[in-house]
PDB file of all heavy atoms in Angstrom:
ATOM      1  N   PHE A 219      85.237  59.761-157.229  1.00 93.00           N
ATOM      2  CA  PHE A 219      83.811  60.083-157.104  1.00 93.00           C
ATOM      3  C   PHE A 219      83.521  61.474-157.664  1.00 93.00           C
ATOM      4  O   PHE A 219      82.549  61.672-158.403  1.00 93.00           O
ATOM      5  CB  PHE A 219      83.378  60.020-155.639  1.00 93.00           C
ATOM      6  CG  PHE A 219      83.114  58.638-155.132  1.00 93.00           C
ATOM      7  CD1 PHE A 219      83.213  58.344-153.778  1.00 93.00           C
ATOM      8  CD2 PHE A 219      82.775  57.617-155.994  1.00 93.00           C
ATOM      9  CE1 PHE A 219      82.972  57.068-153.303  1.00 93.00           C
ATOM     10  CE2 PHE A 219      82.534  56.332-155.537  1.00 93.00           C
ATOM     11  CZ  PHE A 219      82.634  56.055-154.186  1.00 93.00           C
ATOM     12  N   SER A 220      84.353  62.448-157.288  1.00 95.00           N
ATOM     13  CA  SER A 220      84.130  63.818-157.727  1.00 95.00           C
ATOM     14  C   SER A 220      84.284  63.938-159.235  1.00 95.00           C
ATOM     15  O   SER A 220      83.477  64.587-159.903  1.00 95.00           O
ATOM     16  CB  SER A 220      85.107  64.764-157.023  1.00 95.00           C
ATOM     17  OG  SER A 220      84.910  66.098-157.441  1.00 95.00           O
ATOM     18  N   PHE A 221      85.315  63.306-159.782  1.00 94.00           N
ATOM     19  CA  PHE A 221      85.543  63.399-161.229  1.00 94.00           C
ATOM     20  C   PHE A 221      84.412  62.773-162.023  1.00 94.00           C
ATOM     21  O   PHE A 221      83.926  63.359-163.002  1.00 94.00           O
ATOM     22  CB  PHE A 221      86.870  62.729-161.602  1.00 94.00           C
ATOM     23  CG  PHE A 221      87.080  62.639-163.080  1.00 94.00           C
ATOM     24  CD1 PHE A 221      87.461  63.753-163.817  1.00 94.00           C
ATOM     25  CD2 PHE A 221      86.877  61.443-163.759  1.00 94.00           C
ATOM     26  CE1 PHE A 221      87.630  63.675-165.187  1.00 94.00           C
ATOM     27  CE2 PHE A 221      87.053  61.353-165.127  1.00 94.00           C
ATOM     28  CZ  PHE A 221      87.429  62.473-165.848  1.00 94.00           C
ATOM     29  N   THR A 222      83.986  61.579-161.616  1.00 91.00           N
ATOM     30  CA  THR A 222      82.899  60.920-162.352  1.00 91.00           C
ATOM     31  C   THR A 222      81.598  61.706-162.257  1.00 91.00           C
ATOM     32  O   THR A 222      80.731  61.581-163.110  1.00 91.00           O
ATOM     33  CB  THR A 222      82.683  59.491-161.831  1.00 91.00           C
ATOM     34  OG1 THR A 222      82.476  59.527-160.412  1.00 91.00           O
ATOM     35  CG2 THR A 222      83.877  58.618-162.144  1.00 91.00           C
ATOM     36  N   GLY A 223      81.460  62.527-161.203  1.00 91.00           N
ATOM     37  CA  GLY A 223      80.280  63.386-161.102  1.00 91.00           C
ATOM     38  C   GLY A 223      80.408  64.643-161.940  1.00 91.00           C
ATOM     39  O   GLY A 223      79.466  65.031-162.634  1.00 91.00           O
ATOM     40  N   THR A 224      81.590  65.268-161.908  1.00 94.00           N
ATOM     41  CA  THR A 224      81.764  66.527-162.638  1.00 94.00           C
ATOM     42  C   THR A 224      81.824  66.326-164.145  1.00 94.00           C
ATOM     43  O   THR A 224      81.390  67.195-164.903  1.00 94.00           O
ATOM     44  CB  THR A 224      83.040  67.255-162.170  1.00 94.00           C
ATOM     45  OG1 THR A 224      84.156  66.353-162.249  1.00 94.00           O
ATOM     46  CG2 THR A 224      82.890  67.739-160.741  1.00 94.00           C
ATOM     47  N   ILE A 225      82.365  65.209-164.593  1.00 93.00           N
ATOM     48  CA  ILE A 225      82.440  64.993-166.036  1.00 93.00           C
ATOM     49  C   ILE A 225      81.052  64.763-166.628  1.00 93.00           C
ATOM     50  O   ILE A 225      80.833  64.956-167.821  1.00 93.00           O
ATOM     51  CB  ILE A 225      83.380  63.810-166.378  1.00 93.00           C
ATOM     52  CG1 ILE A 225      83.814  63.888-167.850  1.00 93.00           C
ATOM     53  CG2 ILE A 225      82.706  62.477-166.076  1.00 93.00           C
ATOM     54  CD1 ILE A 225      84.872  62.881-168.224  1.00 93.00           C
ATOM     55  N   LYS A 226      80.107  64.361-165.770  1.00 90.00           N
ATOM     56  CA  LYS A 226      78.725  64.159-166.222  1.00 90.00           C
ATOM     57  C   LYS A 226      77.835  65.348-165.867  1.00 90.00           C
ATOM     58  O   LYS A 226      76.620  65.196-165.773  1.00 90.00           O
ATOM     59  CB  LYS A 226      78.152  62.882-165.604  1.00 90.00           C
ATOM     60  CG  LYS A 226      78.886  61.620-166.027  1.00 90.00           C
ATOM     61  CD  LYS A 226      78.264  60.378-165.422  1.00 90.00           C
ATOM     62  CE  LYS A 226      78.423  60.341-163.923  1.00 90.00           C
ATOM     63  NZ  LYS A 226      77.938  59.079-163.326  1.00 90.00           N
ATOM     64  N   MET A 227      78.441  66.524-165.664  1.00 92.00           N
ATOM     65  CA  MET A 227      77.682  67.720-165.293  1.00 92.00           C
ATOM     66  C   MET A 227      76.488  67.921-166.227  1.00 92.00           C
ATOM     67  O   MET A 227      76.636  68.081-167.424  1.00 92.00           O
ATOM     68  CB  MET A 227      78.594  68.952-165.381  1.00 92.00           C
ATOM     69  CG  MET A 227      77.872  70.272-165.156  1.00 92.00           C
ATOM     70  SD  MET A 227      78.942  71.718-165.340  1.00 92.00           S
ATOM     71  CE  MET A 227      79.306  71.691-167.091  1.00 92.00           C
ATOM     72  N   PHE A 228      75.298  67.896-165.643  1.00 94.00           N
ATOM     73  CA  PHE A 228      74.087  68.073-166.454  1.00 94.00           C
ATOM     74  C   PHE A 228      72.976  68.753-165.658  1.00 94.00           C
ATOM     75  O   PHE A 228      72.526  69.838-166.006  1.00 94.00           O
ATOM     76  CB  PHE A 228      73.594  66.720-166.976  1.00 94.00           C
ATOM     77  CG  PHE A 228      72.418  66.838-167.900  1.00 94.00           C
ATOM     78  CD1 PHE A 228      72.600  67.108-169.242  1.00 94.00           C
ATOM     79  CD2 PHE A 228      71.119  66.684-167.430  1.00 94.00           C
ATOM     80  CE1 PHE A 228      71.513  67.230-170.107  1.00 94.00           C
ATOM     81  CE2 PHE A 228      70.025  66.797-168.277  1.00 94.00           C
ATOM     82  CZ  PHE A 228      70.229  67.077-169.611  1.00 94.00           C
ATOM     83  N   GLU A 229      72.528  68.114-164.555  1.00 93.00           N
ATOM     84  CA  GLU A 229      71.356  68.619-163.840  1.00 93.00           C
ATOM     85  C   GLU A 229      71.558  70.028-163.315  1.00 93.00           C
ATOM     86  O   GLU A 229      70.696  70.896-163.506  1.00 93.00           O
ATOM     87  CB  GLU A 229      70.995  67.689-162.668  1.00 93.00           C
ATOM     88  CG  GLU A 229      70.612  66.282-163.077  1.00 93.00           C
ATOM     89  CD  GLU A 229      71.791  65.337-163.007  1.00 93.00           C
ATOM     90  OE1 GLU A 229      72.946  65.834-163.050  1.00 93.00           O
ATOM     91  OE2 GLU A 229      71.570  64.118-162.929  1.00 93.00           O
ATOM     92  N   SER A 230      72.684  70.264-162.649  1.00 93.00           N
ATOM     93  CA  SER A 230      72.894  71.569-162.022  1.00 93.00           C
ATOM     94  C   SER A 230      72.994  72.680-163.057  1.00 93.00           C
ATOM     95  O   SER A 230      72.399  73.753-162.897  1.00 93.00           O
ATOM     96  CB  SER A 230      74.158  71.539-161.160  1.00 93.00           C
ATOM     97  OG  SER A 230      75.289  71.176-161.943  1.00 93.00           O
ATOM     98  N   ALA A 231      73.749  72.436-164.145  1.00 94.00           N
ATOM     99  CA  ALA A 231      73.905  73.457-165.173  1.00 94.00           C
ATOM    100  C   ALA A 231      72.591  73.706-165.903  1.00 94.00           C
ATOM    101  O   ALA A 231      72.251  74.848-166.234  1.00 94.00           O
ATOM    102  CB  ALA A 231      74.986  73.043-166.169  1.00 94.00           C
ATOM    103  N   THR A 232      71.841  72.638-166.146  1.00 94.00           N
ATOM    104  CA  THR A 232      70.554  72.798-166.824  1.00 94.00           C
ATOM    105  C   THR A 232      69.583  73.583-165.957  1.00 94.00           C
ATOM    106  O   THR A 232      68.876  74.472-166.445  1.00 94.00           O
ATOM    107  CB  THR A 232      69.954  71.413-167.149  1.00 94.00           C
ATOM    108  OG1 THR A 232      70.858  70.698-167.990  1.00 94.00           O
ATOM    109  CG2 THR A 232      68.624  71.568-167.878  1.00 94.00           C
ATOM    110  N   ALA A 233      69.550  73.284-164.661  1.00 94.00           N
ATOM    111  CA  ALA A 233      68.609  73.962-163.764  1.00 94.00           C
ATOM    112  C   ALA A 233      69.019  75.406-163.490  1.00 94.00           C
ATOM    113  O   ALA A 233      68.150  76.273-163.334  1.00 94.00           O
ATOM    114  CB  ALA A 233      68.512  73.189-162.448  1.00 94.00           C
ATOM    115  N   LEU A 234      70.326  75.688-163.429  1.00 95.00           N
ATOM    116  CA  LEU A 234      70.789  77.029-163.059  1.00 95.00           C
ATOM    117  C   LEU A 234      70.863  77.971-164.256  1.00 95.00           C
ATOM    118  O   LEU A 234      70.382  79.105-164.197  1.00 95.00           O
ATOM    119  CB  LEU A 234      72.158  76.950-162.387  1.00 95.00           C
ATOM    120  CG  LEU A 234      72.716  78.276-161.856  1.00 95.00           C
ATOM    121  CD1 LEU A 234      71.874  78.761-160.673  1.00 95.00           C
ATOM    122  CD2 LEU A 234      74.177  78.122-161.432  1.00 95.00           C
ATOM    123  N   THR A 235      71.467  77.521-165.355  1.00 93.00           N
ATOM    124  CA  THR A 235      71.733  78.431-166.486  1.00 93.00           C
ATOM    125  C   THR A 235      71.211  77.927-167.821  1.00 93.00           C
ATOM    126  O   THR A 235      71.254  78.667-168.809  1.00 93.00           O
ATOM    127  CB  THR A 235      73.242  78.653-166.624  1.00 93.00           C
ATOM    128  OG1 THR A 235      73.878  77.397-166.916  1.00 93.00           O
ATOM    129  CG2 THR A 235      73.843  79.228-165.348  1.00 93.00           C
ATOM    130  N   ARG A 236      70.783  76.652-167.873  1.00 92.00           N
ATOM    131  CA  ARG A 236      70.362  76.027-169.137  1.00 92.00           C
ATOM    132  C   ARG A 236      71.460  76.095-170.199  1.00 92.00           C
ATOM    133  O   ARG A 236      71.191  76.212-171.391  1.00 92.00           O
ATOM    134  CB  ARG A 236      69.081  76.679-169.657  1.00 92.00           C
ATOM    135  CG  ARG A 236      67.886  76.500-168.734  1.00 92.00           C
ATOM    136  CD  ARG A 236      66.610  77.055-169.327  1.00 92.00           C
ATOM    137  NE  ARG A 236      65.489  76.879-168.405  1.00 92.00           N
ATOM    138  CZ  ARG A 236      64.245  77.282-168.664  1.00 92.00           C
ATOM    139  NH1 ARG A 236      63.974  77.894-169.815  1.00 92.00           N
ATOM    140  NH2 ARG A 236      63.287  77.077-167.776  1.00 92.00           N
ATOM    141  N   GLY A 237      72.704  76.057-169.734  1.00 92.00           N
ATOM    142  CA  GLY A 237      73.832  76.062-170.654  1.00 92.00           C
ATOM    143  C   GLY A 237      74.284  77.445-171.068  1.00 92.00           C
ATOM    144  O   GLY A 237      75.292  77.577-171.757  1.00 92.00           O
ATOM    145  N   GLY A 238      73.564  78.458-170.667  1.00 88.00           N
ATOM    146  CA  GLY A 238      73.891  79.819-171.087  1.00 88.00           C
ATOM    147  C   GLY A 238      74.699  80.563-170.044  1.00 88.00           C
ATOM    148  O   GLY A 238      75.113  79.988-169.031  1.00 88.00           O
ATOM    149  N   PRO A 239      74.900  81.870-170.289  1.00 91.00           N
ATOM    150  CA  PRO A 239      74.509  82.601-171.508  1.00 91.00           C
ATOM    151  C   PRO A 239      75.338  82.153-172.713  1.00 91.00           C
ATOM    152  O   PRO A 239      76.516  81.869-172.571  1.00 91.00           O
ATOM    153  CB  PRO A 239      74.807  84.063-171.141  1.00 91.00           C
ATOM    154  CG  PRO A 239      75.847  83.973-170.080  1.00 91.00           C
ATOM    155  CD  PRO A 239      75.588  82.726-169.302  1.00 91.00           C
ATOM    156  N   GLY A 240      74.688  82.083-173.848  1.00 87.00           N
ATOM    157  CA  GLY A 240      75.339  81.498-175.013  1.00 87.00           C
ATOM    158  C   GLY A 240      75.586  80.031-174.751  1.00 87.00           C
ATOM    159  O   GLY A 240      74.662  79.275-174.468  1.00 87.00           O
TER     160      GLY A 240
END
Side-chain angles (χ1 to χ4, degrees):
F219 280 155
S220 180
F221 173 77
T222 54
T224 53
I225 199 172
K226 297 182 294 185
M227 174 183 68
F228 184 84
E229 298 95 338
S230 58
T232 300
L234 184 68
T235 62
R236 297 185 181 180

